Amino acid sequence: RHMMRAAMDFCAQRYARVLTVAAPWYSVGVFAGAYATRLDVPHWVIIVAAILPILPALMMLRAYITFVNGIDEFQRRIQSEAVMIAAGVTAFGTFSYGFLEEWAGFPHLPLIWVLPILIGSWGVALCFVRLRYK
C-alpha cells in the first residue's frame, strides 16, 4: 500500500510541475490574445494569438493523461468515471442550451465556454465519485 501511495504522489507531483508551467503560459496567451484584438494588427496576428493558448492547454492535457496512466487501477476508475459524467453533463447541457438558443431566444453562449464547463463539471463530478467510494 505504501508503494502505491508513493507512486500516486510521484504522479501528482509531476502533474503539478507541468501545470505550474503550462497554466501561467495559458493565462498569458489568453490575455495577450484578448489585448491583440484591441490593436490595429494584421488579421493573421489575431489568428495566431487565438491559437496560441491551445499549446499550453495541450501540455495540460498531456500531463493529465500521463498522470492517469501512472496511477493505480482504482484511482484510474475514479478519474474515468468523473470524466464520463462531466462529458455527459457538458454534452447534454450544451446540446439542450443550443435548442433554447435556437427556439426560445436564449442568449448566445460562445463555444469558448464549453471546455471550462467540462473542466468545472469534471471537478464537481470527481468530488461526488470520490465520496461514493469512501
Side-chain angles (χ1 to χ4, degrees):
R1 182 167 168 91
H2 177 67
M3 292 290 283
M4 283 194 288
R5 184 68 194 163
M8 176 82 167
D9 288 345
F10 173 76
C11 291
Q13 289 170 354
R14 182 174 54 193
Y15 178 62
R17 270 195 313 273
V18 173
L19 289 186
T20 58
V21 172
W25 278 111
Y26 172 81
S27 298
V28 166
V30 168
F31 285 111
Y35 183 70
T37 62
R38 290 167 171 73
L39 301 176
D40 186 25
V41 295
H43 189 65
W44 69 267
V45 173
I46 302 296
I47 292 170
V48 170
I51 295 172
L52 213 51
I54 302 306
L55 297 174
L58 288 171
M59 283 176 60
M60 291 185 261
L61 175 61
R62 182 174 183 252
Y64 176 70
I65 291 169
T66 303
F67 168 74
V68 170
N69 286 333
I71 58 179
D72 67 61
E73 190 175 308
F74 176 64
Q75 294 300 324
R76 196 174 303 140
R77 178 183 176 147
I78 290 173
Q79 291 289 330
S80 298
E81 199 170 315
V83 167
M84 286 186 283
I85 292 167
V89 166
T90 304
F92 285 100
T94 55
F95 187 62
S96 300
Y97 194 84
F99 284 119
L100 292 170
E101 274 187 25
E102 290 293 320
W103 297 347
F106 275 46
H108 175 65
L109 177 68
L111 289 175
I112 198 169
W113 289 105
V114 174
L115 184 58
I117 291 168
L118 175 65
I119 292 170
S121 59
W122 165 60
V124 172
L126 188 58
C127 293
F128 282 108
V129 172
R130 282 184 177 156
L131 281 174
R132 196 177 60 186
Y133 284 109
K134 283 196 176 201

